């Protein structure tokens, strides 16, 4: 997986522009564009700056698998089925997709095992 593809995935998932990510990460916008187009490979410190901007861990960023993701005009990188929902764990910063049938009682973060609960902010619905 190329870093630019992962960067683009997170930028679209967070519904941010390149300009917004550049400002949040402190990375030059033109350089950020070159990274996204896979024309430049960022150093580890630049990857760390991006991870801070997206509020995720470096290992999660680098381990991101977007093989099944598809880019659509709506800037949504997830090819979701009718019952697929994207969740975000505020505890560890992990984003994950779950299929469910209107029952969120057993949804757990695969990274840290937090349990979804409508009354707390550990796991929130990110995109439905």
């Amino acid at each position: 997986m190329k870093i630019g593809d992962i960067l683009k995935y997170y930028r679209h998932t967070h519904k941010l522009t390149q300009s917004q990510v550049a400002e949040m990460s402190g990375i030059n916008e033109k350089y950020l564009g070159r990274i996204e187009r896979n024309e430049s490979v960022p150093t580890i410190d630049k990857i760390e700056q991006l991870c801070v901007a997206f509020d995720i861990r470096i290992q999660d960023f680098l381990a991101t698998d977007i093989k099944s993701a598809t880019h659509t005009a709506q800037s949504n990188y997830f090819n979701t089925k009718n019952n697929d929902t994207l969740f975000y764990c505020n505890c560890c910063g992990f984003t994950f997709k779950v299929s469910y049938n209107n029952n969120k009682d057993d949804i757990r973060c695969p990274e840290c095992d937090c349990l979804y609960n409508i009354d707390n902010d550990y796991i929130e619905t990110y995109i439905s």
Side-chain angles (χ1 to χ4, degrees):
M1 185 60 50
K2 294 184 176 185
I3 298 295
D5 297 331
I6 297 170
L7 169 57
K8 193 181 298 182
Y9 161 80
Y10 278 105
R11 185 173 65 77
H12 284 273
T13 300
H14 286 80
K15 298 181 180 176
L16 298 169
T17 65
Q18 280 185 352
S19 179
Q20 290 169 318
V21 173
E23 185 177 326
M24 292 168 59
S25 65
I27 296 174
N28 178 283
E29 188 175 347
K30 289 183 181 186
Y31 179 60
L32 190 72
R34 288 195 309 267
I35 295 171
E36 255 194 35
R37 292 187 302 274
N38 293 304
E39 296 172 356
S40 185
V41 178
T43 59
I44 195 70
D45 65 313
K46 296 296 182 196
I47 294 172
E48 185 176 28
Q49 287 173 255
L50 291 168
C51 290
V52 168
F54 294 128
D55 195 27
I56 58 172
R57 299 178 309 174
I58 290 177
Q59 58 265 39
D60 292 333
F61 182 87
L62 296 175
T64 301
D65 180 11
I66 57 172
K67 291 178 188 172
S68 64
T70 57
H71 180 59
T72 66
Q74 292 80 28
S75 300
N76 180 1
Y77 258 70
F78 284 94
N79 185 11
T80 57
K81 299 175 187 161
N82 291 340
N83 294 329
D84 287 349
T85 299
L86 187 63
F87 291 90
Y88 177 78
C89 179
N90 288 309
C91 174
C92 68
F94 193 74
T95 303
F96 57 99
K97 184 169 63 170
V98 175
S99 288
Y100 72 95
N101 293 316
N102 297 324
N103 182 7
K104 296 182 182 178
D105 294 337
D106 58 351
I107 295 173
R108 289 187 176 274
C109 173
E111 184 72 15
C112 69
D113 207 36
C114 280
L115 180 63
Y116 176 85
N117 182 328
I118 199 162
D119 296 326
N120 68 32
D121 292 329
Y122 292 125
I123 298 176
E124 59 188 79
T125 304
Y126 204 54
I127 297 174
S128 30

